[in-house]
Amino acid sequence: MESFVYQYPVKNYFGEGAMGRALASELPAMGEKVMLAYGGGSIKRSGLYDEVVALLTEAGKEIVEFGGIMSNPTYEKVQEGAKIARENDVDYILAVGGGSVFDCCKIVSAQAKLDEDIHEYEHVQGKMPTEFIPLACVVTLSGTGAEQNNGGVITDEVRKVKGPFIGALPVWAALDPAYTLTVPRMQFMSGAFDSLSHCMETYFGTPREGCVSDDINFAVQRNIIRNMRAVAADEGDMHARSELVYDSAMGENGVLKIGKVGDFQCHMIQHQYGAYTHTNHGLGLGIIHPHLYRHLAPEAPAQFARWAVEVWGVDPTGKDDLTVALAGIDELAAFVKEMGMPTTFAELEGDASDETLRAVADTAVLTAGCAKKLTPEEIFEILVECR
C-alpha cells in the first residue's frame, strides 16, 4: 500500500426514518435560511418534498427553492444556484436527490462564496476553495456515493467538457433505502452499477499487488452483484436495496481507496461521452467497461485474474492469468446483459458517429493509475467496439 492520511468527517444517518432523525438532530445548527435543492420533480410526486418542507417550516426555517437540477448538471445550473444562494443570503443547503443534485450543490456551495468564476479559480489558477455554505444530503437515488465526498462532476456545455470540481464536503447525509423506491427501476440499477464501477476502478489502480483495501473492495463488489440480482428478481426487496445504498457509500467514502491510486479511466471516457451525448452515466459505464478491460487486461493479467477469481468465481485451475482475466471480463459483460442494461451505444440511443467518438477520444482525460496509458486512437477503437 502507498502511504496515506485518512480522515472521514461526513456524519451518516442510515436506515428507515433516517431523514427525520437527521433533521431532528441537525436543524438547530442549520441557520435561518435553508436552500432546498432537488431535481426533476420526483420528490414532489412521491410526497417527500411535502415531508421536507413540513419539517423545515415546523422548525421555523425560511425555505429558498432551487429545483430542476438535471442529470449531468451543467455549469450554467451551478451559476444559477450560486446566484440564488448569494441573493438570498442562504445559511445552509439541503440537497435532496441523487448524485447529480449533490454534485451541483457541492459546487454551488463553493461558488456562492467566491468572488470569481470557479472554473477560472480551480482549473486555470489551480486554487481550491476553502469557504463554503454548509451542505447536507438526503439520498433518494444511491450509486454515485456523491454524498460522501467533496468532488462534483459538472458538464460545461460551452467547453464540451464533463469534468471534476472541488466543492463542499457534506456535513451530514441521510440514507433511507425506502426513498430509492421513488425512482424508476433502471435508474436505480444504473446507480448500483455506478457503485460497482467505483469499486472496480479503485481496485484496478496501483499498487497492483493485493492489499487489505483490495480485500474489502472484493467483498463490496460481491455484495453489489448479489443484491443487484436480488432487486432484479424483486424490486421491493428492501434488504437488498439497503445493502446497495450502503455499498454506494462504501465505494466513495474513502475506505476502499486507502493506500491506492485509482484507475477511473472508464469514468473519464464515459464523462466525455456523456458531455457530448447527455446519456445516462451508469448505463454508459456498463457498455464501456468490458471493452476497455479487454484492452487493459494484457497489461496487468495477474491483477485482473485475481479479480476474476475473487469477484466472479472463475476457476483458475490449469489456466494462465490472462485466460482467467478474460473469463472474468466475460462474466462482467454477461452480468450487464443479465441486469437488462444496454450493452451498446445503439441500445442506449446515444450518438455513436465517428465525429462524436473522435471528439470523445481526443478529449478524454488519461488517468495515472490505469494499467496502460491509452492513446486517443486506442480510446476511439474502444468506443467503436461499443457501438
Side-chain angles (χ1 to χ4, degrees):
M1 297 174 74
E2 301 286 346
S3 299
F4 63 84
V5 175
Y6 176 70
Q7 181 177 352
Y8 183 60
V10 179
K11 185 176 183 179
N12 281 278
Y13 294 83
F14 178 86
E16 184 180 355
M19 185 187 70
R21 296 197 306 274
L23 287 174
S25 176
E26 304 291 342
L27 273 171
M30 289 173 62
E32 296 302 317
K33 292 187 178 181
V34 177
M35 174 184 275
L36 177 56
Y38 51 92
S42 64
I43 72 164
K44 290 187 175 180
R45 293 189 295 273
S46 68
L48 179 56
Y49 173 87
D50 293 334
E51 184 181 348
V52 175
V53 167
L55 288 167
L56 293 175
T57 302
E58 184 180 340
K61 305 301 181 183
E62 181 179 339
I63 300 171
V64 177
E65 295 264 348
F66 177 43
I69 300 172
M70 66 289 286
S71 299
N72 302 314
T74 64
Y75 194 71
E76 182 181 10
K77 194 66 177 179
V78 167
Q79 297 304 325
E80 176 191 332
K83 183 172 184 287
I84 292 171
R86 281 192 297 264
E87 289 179 348
N88 290 276
D89 198 21
V90 165
D91 297 309
Y92 215 97
I93 301 173
L94 181 61
V96 183
S100 295
V101 174
F102 304 155
D103 279 6
C104 184
C105 289
K106 284 186 277 189
I107 315 310
V108 165
S109 169
Q111 178 67 87
K113 291 289 188 177
L114 281 175
D115 293 329
E116 51 197 304
D117 180 87
I118 196 167
H119 177 272
E120 172 74 19
Y121 192 79
E122 292 193 9
H123 295 297
V124 178
Q125 299 179 34
K127 299 178 182 178
M128 293 295 110
T130 57
E131 190 177 358
F132 313 95
I133 298 174
L135 167 70
C137 301
V138 176
V139 178
T140 62
L141 175 62
S142 61
T144 67
E147 73 281 359
Q148 305 295 325
N149 57 52
N150 65 347
V153 179
I154 304 298
T155 299
D156 189 324
E157 294 184 303
V158 175
R159 297 181 180 89
K160 288 291 184 183
V161 174
K162 182 178 178 181
F165 286 82
I166 297 299
L169 185 70
V171 177
W172 57 267
L175 298 85
D176 186 337
Y179 290 157
T180 67
L181 292 168
T182 66
V183 300
R185 174 186 176 277
M186 189 50 65
Q187 192 174 358
F188 179 76
M189 298 302 268
S190 165
F193 189 86
D194 192 16
S195 299
L196 181 61
S197 175
H198 290 160
C199 295
M200 291 190 296
E201 298 220 81
T202 298
Y203 167 70
F204 283 118
T206 58
R208 306 206 183 280
E209 301 78 22
C211 64
V212 64
S213 296
D214 290 346
D215 286 345
I216 299 169
N217 192 328
F218 288 150
V220 176
Q221 288 188 55
R222 291 192 297 266
N223 191 277
I224 293 170
I225 293 162
R226 180 171 66 252
N227 286 292
M228 284 183 70
R229 283 175 167 148
V231 172
D234 177 7
E235 291 187 43
D237 188 333
M238 291 310 301
H239 174 74
R241 285 177 177 268
S242 297
E243 293 289 292
L244 289 167
V245 167
Y246 194 65
D247 285 331
S248 171
M250 282 294 293
E252 283 299 310
N253 65 13
V255 170
L256 307 185
K257 299 178 182 181
I258 292 175
K260 299 281 293 187
V261 176
D263 173 0
F264 286 89
Q265 188 60 73
C266 190
H267 262 72
M268 296 302 102
I269 295 171
Q270 200 290 321
H271 282 167
Q272 280 308 95
Y273 185 71
Y276 280 89
T277 65
H278 297 286
T279 47
N280 180 282
H281 175 61
L283 301 184
L285 291 170
I287 295 166
I288 297 169
H289 262 299
H291 297 282
L292 172 64
Y293 282 174
R294 290 189 184 102
H295 284 254
L296 297 183
E299 304 297 323
Q303 186 182 27
F304 274 86
R306 189 162 59 249
W307 166 78
V309 172
E310 295 288 345
V311 175
W312 298 104
V314 173
D315 183 359
T317 306
K319 303 168 187 171
D320 61 62
D321 283 344
L322 184 56
T323 300
V324 175
L326 293 174
I329 296 166
D330 288 343
E331 291 288 338
L332 172 63
F335 176 71
V336 171
K337 187 172 184 178
E338 177 190 344
M339 291 300 99
M341 296 166 60
T343 59
T344 66
F345 290 151
E347 291 177 33
L348 186 61
E349 298 183 351
D351 178 8
S353 64
D354 279 359
E355 180 182 8
T356 294
L357 299 188
R358 284 282 182 193
V360 171
D362 289 343
T363 55
V365 173
L366 302 178
T367 60
C370 191
K372 180 182 183 182
K373 186 171 183 179
L374 300 168
T375 65
E377 190 58 39
E378 287 174 300
I379 294 175
F380 177 72
E381 181 183 343
I382 291 164
L383 291 169
V384 169
E385 291 172 7
C386 295
R387 281 176 169 162

